[in-house]
Amino acid sequence: QVQLVESGGGLVQAGDSLRLSCTASGRTFSSYAMAWFRQAPGKEREFVAIISWSGGNTWYADSVKGRFTISRDNAKNTVYLQMNSLKPEDTAVYYCARSALGYSYNIEDYDYWGQGTQVTVSS
């Protein structure tokens, strides 16, 4: 069983930065692509960013491109999301997830999810 635990959320002002962390249990973390998704109140969960198992490839939603950076440390079983220049529309619960089907941004391809961490950006 894999467990993903997110941390680092909080309440910030527009223009501030936050770094989210997601630590995974288990020995096979480095074999899987990992991603961040987010869900705002009343909206569907949406893709934010993905990183390949090696960290060599990343991809971002257009809404966060240039502001967010995903990275990973396989020695620590941890994936990060550095969020800069935050906007009120970034307010959401952020989830990390493990891809069961490789480098994919389709939510259906993810088999393990964290519990989520709240990010609130005030204007």
Side-chain angles (χ1 to χ4, degrees), residues 5-68:
V5 179
E6 301 101 334
S7 61
L11 171 63
V12 297
Q13 294 187 332
D16 285 350
S17 298
L18 276 177
R19 188 176 82 155
L20 306 183
S21 300
C22 170
T23 301
S25 64
R27 300 180 182 178
T28 60
F29 172 81
S30 61
S31 300
Y32 293 89
M34 298 291 295
W36 288 94
F37 291 79
R38 68 186 181 185
Q39 188 166 18
K43 295 188 176 182
E44 294 186 350
R45 194 169 298 188
E46 65 175 5
F47 167 79
V48 174
I50 184 174
I51 187 166
S52 61
W53 65 271
S54 67
N57 290 292
T58 58
W59 188 254
Y60 301 90
D62 288 343
S63 58
V64 307
K65 200 171 294 183
R67 300 187 298 121
F68 290 11

